[in-house]
Amino acid sequence: MMPILEVTGLRKSYGSTEVLRGVDLHINAGELVCVIGPSGSGKSTMLRCCNLLETPTQGKIVANGHEVTSPSVNINRVRQDIGMVFQQFNLYPHLTALNNVALALKKVQGKSTSEAEELAMAALDQVGLAAKAKSFPAQLSGGQQQRVAIARAIALKPHVLLFDEPTSALDPELVEDVLNVMRDLRQRGMTMLVVTHEMAFAHAAADRVVFMDGGVVVEEGSASDVFEQPREARTKSFLARYA
Ligand code: ADP
Ligand code: MG
């Protein structure tokens, strides 16, 4: 099976500090892979390297057959192939939900306003927010704002969607709405790499789980293997904090 995203020997240093020390991971089509691990282990840096928000120091990243780490890479192409959802939703406060989603379709994909709005409406509908299309971010709950951000990402029809702690900024009662949207995307066959501290979600929804610590992948396996029978001492002690 050809991976949709393949990361090999990824290294990233900031000055003399090596934050990623040779990360290997892959995601196959339709998989939901959760990345767990302590704060500072390099999870965000790894995701940001995948769509070139950070420049890798060394290593190879291939997305949908295109080498992201090639010197001649088309960054615009990479950002269309690899969508990203952040912890802070990063919506434009002066734009409606519809226009937040439509903007990238116009700017990045050159769609006409009417076509962009039609596609944006379909994406909002997919996250259950068609009725909020005319609302501004400040009129929406955090969970609704994050669902708009997800709609913005899926509207571009990426091959893989990266999530960096998508529910960490939300009030607890809003977390489940966002996780349900992600479960629904999984059902529809979206390929997703999700950094999360929602262990129950990772255990129940992930096809595979990757545990990172100290800038490397320490352990990787099926959700049941990693959560129920972790092999590595570092994985065990990390999971014990959530038990
Ligand atoms: P995680 O997402 O797992 O919490 P990060 O990838 O955010 O980890 O950070 C990994 C390490 O890299 C941390 O020690 C952090 O302080 C450091 N780091 C992250 N971004 C930068 C940066 N822009 N400059 C210097 N150090 C950074
Ligand atoms: Mg992080």
Side-chain angles (χ1 to χ4, degrees):
M1 194 187 297
M2 193 186 87
I4 295 283
L5 182 68
E6 188 162 31
V7 174
T8 313
L10 178 63
R11 292 179 177 269
K12 175 67 182 176
S13 298
Y14 294 108
S16 59
T17 310
E18 194 170 45
V19 168
L20 298 179
R21 300 185 297 120
V23 171
D24 298 306
L25 63 85
H26 70 280
I27 315 169
N28 295 317
E31 275 191 316
L32 194 172
V33 175
C34 283
V35 180
I36 60 172
S39 177
S41 57
K43 305 181 299 295
S44 295
T45 305
M46 183 273 294
L47 285 190
R48 294 168 64 82
C49 281
C50 287
N51 71 351
L52 298 178
L53 289 172
E54 298 286 351
T55 308
T57 307
Q58 204 180 307
K60 189 172 177 186
I61 300 169
V62 178
N64 197 40
H66 298 280
E67 190 182 340
V68 173
T69 39
S70 158
S72 60
V73 70
N74 177 345
I75 293 197
N76 208 23
R77 172 75 200 247
V78 169
R79 302 257 165 87
Q80 288 188 65
D81 279 353
I82 307 179
M84 181 118 172
V85 175
F86 302 90
Q87 182 175 340
Q88 302 297 340
F89 333 116
N90 298 348
L91 298 179
Y92 292 107
H94 61 291
L95 295 181
T96 62
L98 185 75
N99 284 332
N100 264 284
V101 180
L103 184 67
L105 288 161
K106 290 195 266 189
K107 292 262 189 231
V108 181
Q109 293 188 339
K111 306 275 193 220
S112 69
T113 297
S114 63
E115 194 184 353
E117 288 183 355
E118 197 174 310
L119 292 167
M121 202 61 191
L124 285 174
D125 192 41
Q126 213 179 316
V127 301
L129 284 179
K132 298 288 184 185
K134 291 200 163 70
S135 299
F136 288 89
Q139 298 169 316
L140 300 173
S141 73
Q144 290 170 332
Q145 290 182 58
Q146 188 60 299
R147 284 151 63 196
V148 173
I150 293 171
R152 177 174 59 184
I154 61 176
L156 294 171
K157 306 216 178 336
H159 294 287
V160 57
L161 205 44
L162 313 178
F163 292 82
D164 194 358
E165 299 195 29
T167 61
S168 293
L170 301 178
D171 292 333
E173 71 272 20
L174 303 176
V175 167
E176 213 50 41
D177 287 347
V178 170
L179 296 179
N180 279 333
V181 166
M182 294 163 68
R183 290 183 183 102
D184 185 54
L185 288 175
R186 163 88 181 66
Q187 290 299 316
R188 293 165 187 257
M190 177 68 79
T191 306
M192 297 189 277
L193 182 62
V194 182
V195 172
T196 187
H197 291 288
E198 293 293 329
M199 295 301 156
F201 171 76
H203 194 164
D207 295 292
R208 278 187 297 121
V209 172
V210 171
F211 172 65
M212 281 182 69
D213 194 12
V216 295
V217 172
V218 171
E219 179 161 358
E220 186 250 310
S222 71
S224 55
D225 281 354
V226 172
F227 281 104
E228 293 159 30
Q229 298 177 305
R231 297 184 306 268
E232 302 293 330
R234 278 193 280 175
T235 317
K236 288 177 192 167
S237 70
F238 174 75
L239 290 175
R241 284 180 237 161
Y242 288 91

